[in-house]
Amino acid sequence: LGGEELSANITMGRVTKEWAEAMSSWLEAESNYRLTVEKMKDAREGGKFAQAEYEKWKTAYKQAKADLEVTLARHEEERKNLFDEREVIKQIMRYLGVLHDIKATDKSIEAGGRDSVKDAETGITDPYAIKKAVSSSELKAKVAELQALVLKTQVPGSTQKLAQIQQLPVYSETEEVAKILKEMLDDLATRLSVIDEVDMQSKKLVDDTYQKMIEWEKKLVVLADEADKAKERMLQEKLEREKLAGDKDVATQVHDTESAAYKLVIGPYEREIYVITMIKIKINEHCAKLASGEASTFGDR
């Protein structure tokens, strides 16, 4: 009976150990699987965010590029008008002898001509307009041409300054006219620098949005790859989880079967062993009493 009980205990111990190992392996696989599921979700969310950022910067790049094309076209026309206005102003200043950018040619020098010379005190070539370069009608025509360009370019303050010139006797107030024309040239230079800066900033915006679009496109590719890898790992862990779940179910079934059988067998074994043990105790007590001359435990026969 002791051997049978020991065998039953050994079998139950082995089955219990196998069931515990199967349960532990399955729990670990379940944990790994759930972790890969979360990682896959995170990768997908990262991919969605990257996709949204890429689309945002792609739209921004397209808009910036379209705006740049419109701006460049508008500024090209405006530059042409500003350059035209500048040349007309310079022409008027040459007519008045207050612009010193005309150099005498070899032919004019041979004929007695010379470079325009600026007077040290007045800052103009011919302060009293003694030698008029053109007739008054030609000068008025140039001023009218300038007025048309001023209305076209709409440089702040130019209309008022031109009105001042038109109110002055041009040849008798040459120095004052020259001052106003110089201010108008400065205004044109300022406007040209402004549109140059706007063009530069617009081009920079196109470059910046393009770089951002490329940056998120690269991130999108990386995150998409990570999402694919995360999904692959999840599927692998899912297969392992399902395999170990099957092993666990088999081990649980074997454990439950062996446990039920063990309970059926071990009870009678334990009762029989208990009875036999008690009989052995009584016999030992009987023998001990007889040996010492005492009455038998079982009484007289």
Side-chain angles (χ1 to χ4, degrees), residues 248-264:
K248 174 189 67 89
D249 291 343
V250 171
T252 299
Q253 186 176 2
V254 171
H255 177 270
D256 292 346
T257 301
E258 290 294 332
S259 179
Y262 177 77
K263 290 177 181 178
L264 290 175

Side-chain angles (χ1 to χ4, degrees), residues 67-79 199:
D67 291 344
L68 175 62
E69 291 175 356
V70 172
T71 299
L72 291 178
R74 184 178 69 251
H75 284 172
E76 182 180 4
E77 178 67 21
E78 184 176 358
R79 269 193 196 86
D199 287 352

